[in-house]
Amino acid sequence: MNTDAEFREANLRTPLPFGSYLSNPRTQRWRPPNPNELIMNTDAAVRPHDNFAGIGVCIRDHYLGRVIACRLKRINGKLSPESAEILVVREGLLFAQHMNLSISVIETDASRVVQSMLHPQPLADTALVFTDIFHLMSIVNYGTSRYIPREGNEVAH
């Protein structure tokens, strides 16, 4: 079973995730972090008839977006797109911690996930996962999160 191929296939067939563009998607592109900082792009793919999700994490530096580390993973279980997008952020932070990397910016095309990271809601259904995420953020010296349209987040696909 080729997880990389499954992930790419799922991304091609998956409609745009929940949320809407904050600005014109054609004008919003990936931009590198400041010098000596790292940016983590995440994405998840869920197909309704499958019992798994594919997730991707890409950590890049300021020098032309050079890839420092990346990870693809299959998560078994029936997940909503939002749950998969939340879990990929958690997995990305665990990966960064394992690699001993400091993450300045987390980018995802899931606008509600970004809003939850910036404005936590402790009684939400996802509060326990976000508790893990916030703990991991402190370990990897996290700076901020931002939404980036799907077209600007292609490297994580």
Side-chain angles (χ1 to χ4, degrees):
M1 184 173 302
N2 187 340
T3 303
D4 182 43
E6 290 172 351
F7 179 77
R8 290 179 196 286
E9 180 185 342
N11 260 298
L12 291 173
R13 294 184 184 180
T14 302
L16 290 177
F18 51 86
S20 60
Y21 292 125
L22 300 178
S23 64
N24 183 341
R26 297 184 203 290
T27 62
Q28 192 152 44
R29 297 283 179 232
W30 185 86
R31 55 186 191 261
N34 295 326
N36 301 317
E37 292 184 351
L38 298 176
I39 196 166
M40 182 174 81
N41 292 89
T42 65
D43 195 29
V46 177
R47 291 190 298 187
H49 60 279
D50 288 334
N51 200 28
F52 68 91
I55 61 172
V57 175
C58 185
I59 300 172
R60 298 188 285 176
D61 70 3
H62 70 282
Y63 185 72
L64 301 175
R66 180 179 54 192
V67 174
I68 301 300
C70 61
R71 179 170 185 170
L72 297 174
K73 185 174 180 181
R74 178 182 172 143
I75 298 177
N76 291 321
K78 202 84 160 149
L79 298 170
S80 70
E82 184 175 64
S83 294
E85 295 284 358
I86 292 167
L87 289 175
V88 71
V89 170
R90 181 179 173 274
E91 289 293 324
L93 290 168
L94 284 167
F95 179 57
Q97 177 189 18
H98 176 75
M99 299 292 292
N100 199 30
L101 298 172
S102 294
I103 302 299
S104 300
V105 179
I106 298 171
E107 286 187 336
T108 179
D109 57 7
S111 61
R112 291 195 322 196
V113 174
V114 170
Q115 288 302 313
S116 294
M117 287 189 290
L118 297 174
H119 308 288
Q121 298 177 4
L123 299 179
D125 293 343
T126 55
L128 291 175
V129 178
F130 275 107
T131 298
D132 284 350
I133 288 172
F134 297 136
H135 173 72
L136 290 164
M137 286 174 170
S138 68
I139 293 171
V140 301
N141 300 316
Y142 157 83
T144 191
S145 299
R146 64 181 172 226
Y147 168 81
I148 186 166
R150 187 172 180 84
E151 287 81 5
N153 197 29
E154 290 176 353
V155 71
H157 296 186

